[in-house]
Amino acid sequence: MGIQTLIWQVTKKAFTGGIIGLTISDRFCSVVPVRGDSMSPTFNPQRDSYLDDYVLVDKFCLKDYKFARGDVVVFSSPSHYKERYIKRIVGMPGEWISSTEDVIRVPEGHCWVEGDNKASSLDSRTFGPIPLGLIGGRVTRVVWPPQRLSKIGG
Amino acid sequence: MGSSSSFWNVAYRQAMKSGVFVAKVYSFLHVTTTYLAFPAVAFGPSMIPTLHPSGNVVLAERISTRSRKLSRGDVIVLQSPEDPNKIPIKRVIGLEGDCESFVVDPEKNDESRTIVVPKGHVWVQGDHTQNSRDSRIFGPLPYGLIRGRVLWRLWPFQDFGPIDDHNLKK
């Protein structure tokens, strides 16, 4: 009888902890790994994946979607919504972006994102401007590895 | 001195207990409304006659949108591609791969266009097409902007009932 109540207590505490943790991760901030080198040298300056950067993603910015050019953001891919990318906003609504052939105006409610490593980045130059609603958070810091701890400015 | 320090002890412990309780309630509400179901207020003319322009409270669920089980005829809550702070409610008319033909500007002329809905997108329209900003204006909607599927009208009581699918499900 004692063991059963103990297991039940532990399960209840774990469940509650999980729910609170999920809420903190969704509403306040979370830590995500950066894969690939499309944001090199800002993230993952070397190619070995066992040294991938982990970054802190702030979720407070999602309250009214106030972003600025230069913000590094996490967003869902417009064509594969389960895939998430990390890129930098280089164009806000109303601004003009020059691509190879012509000049494009970023529509209202959208933004133009590009990787810092232009040679190796799948971004708005391929899939066009993304709706701001697809953004899942703003990267504020690198938190791992310890020697790369830094603040990501605007 | 003995009684005053235990007063602050008791006060501190009460504050912690209340704080933990608030955190639990807040988290429970967040997880339920983000992953299970949430109520939404709908107003405006774009979904007449399904929804009343002066307002309905509807119940929307999140389970089919996370597992991609949407079909034509579903009424969905979405985030507008024109303004992420706006949360319109529209009906799914086409899924990815469908050909959608529509009149571009019915008030100007009959010029029409045909678009194939790209991968990862859906085509949405309001039921009251004369007064609805939808995919005919902002294009196919990326799946990532879908916030939930509307199941029931909850309020006012004379409107209580499920949302019908306009015979679009085949």
Side-chain angles (χ1 to χ4, degrees), chain B residues 15 21 55 89-90 132 143 145 168:
Chain B
F21 179 71
I89 296 184
K90 302 279 180 254
S132 165
Y143 219 88
L145 290 182
L168 284 172

Side-chain angles (χ1 to χ4, degrees), chain A residues 15-16 19-24 26-28 62-65 76-82 108-110 131-134, chain B residues 20 23-24 26-28 30-31 33-35 65-68 79 81-85 119-121 142-145 147:
Chain A
F15 182 71
T16 311
I19 294 219
I20 295 184
L22 185 58
T23 303
I24 293 178
D26 286 347
R27 286 272 166 118
F28 301 125
L62 298 178
K63 200 163 176 301
D64 38 23
Y65 288 90
S76 299
S77 161
S79 45
H80 299 87
Y81 80 108
K82 287 210 152 99
E108 282 309 312
H110 290 65
L132 288 170
L134 287 179
Chain B
V20 169
K24 281 195 206 174
Y26 180 78
S27 308
F28 178 76
H30 166 82
V31 171
T33 57
T34 307
Y35 297 98
T65 50
R66 290 186 82 81
S67 59
R68 281 209 98 160
Q79 227 173 335
E82 301 178 302
D83 182 352
N85 292 307
K119 191 173 186 335
H121 291 66
Y143 219 88
L145 290 182
R147 291 280 165 265

Side-chain angles (χ1 to χ4, degrees), chain B residues 14 26 54 62 78-79 83 93 104 106 114 118 149 154 158:
Chain B
Q14 280 292 78
Y26 180 78
S54 51
R62 299 252 196 188
L78 54 118
Q79 227 173 335
D83 182 352
I93 302 295
V104 177
T114 304
R149 182 170 74 101
L154 297 178
Q158 52 264 40

Side-chain angles (χ1 to χ4, degrees), chain B residues 56-132:
Chain B
N56 279 107
V57 176
V58 297
L59 184 71
E61 53 95 355
R62 299 252 196 188
I63 301 174
S64 26
T65 50
R66 290 186 82 81
S67 59
R68 281 209 98 160
K69 286 197 168 55
L70 278 190
S71 4
R72 298 177 198 88
D74 281 342
V75 174
I76 59 170
V77 181
L78 54 118
Q79 227 173 335
S80 168
E82 301 178 302
D83 182 352
N85 292 307
K86 292 216 157 63
I87 316 284
I89 296 184
K90 302 279 180 254
R91 191 182 294 271
V92 174
I93 302 295
L95 302 176
E96 65 189 24
D98 288 354
C99 265
E100 292 302 328
S101 298
F102 60 102
V103 177
V104 177
D105 192 351
E107 300 189 6
K108 205 163 75 164
N109 52 29
D110 279 336
E111 178 200 334
S112 72
R113 234 187 291 169
T114 304
I115 287 185
V116 177
V117 180
K119 191 173 186 335
H121 291 66
V122 295
W123 188 268
V124 296
Q125 281 181 204
D127 286 349
H128 191 233
T129 47
Q130 295 92 305
N131 198 347
S132 165

Side-chain angles (χ1 to χ4, degrees), chain A residues 70-125:
Chain A
D71 282 348
V72 179
V73 292
V74 178
F75 60 93
S76 299
S77 161
S79 45
H80 299 87
Y81 80 108
K82 287 210 152 99
E83 293 174 6
R84 294 191 309 171
Y85 296 156
I86 299 184
K87 301 278 179 275
R88 192 183 294 271
I89 295 181
V90 297
M92 291 296 288
E95 292 178 8
W96 294 82
I97 301 287
S98 69
S99 69
T100 44
E101 286 107 38
D102 60 58
V103 186
I104 298 174
R105 185 177 179 276
V106 180
E108 282 309 312
H110 290 65
C111 61
W112 189 272
V113 292
E114 284 184 14
D116 288 352
N117 185 7
K118 310 244 182 287
S120 164
S121 164
L122 185 66
D123 49 38
S124 285
R125 293 168 300 161

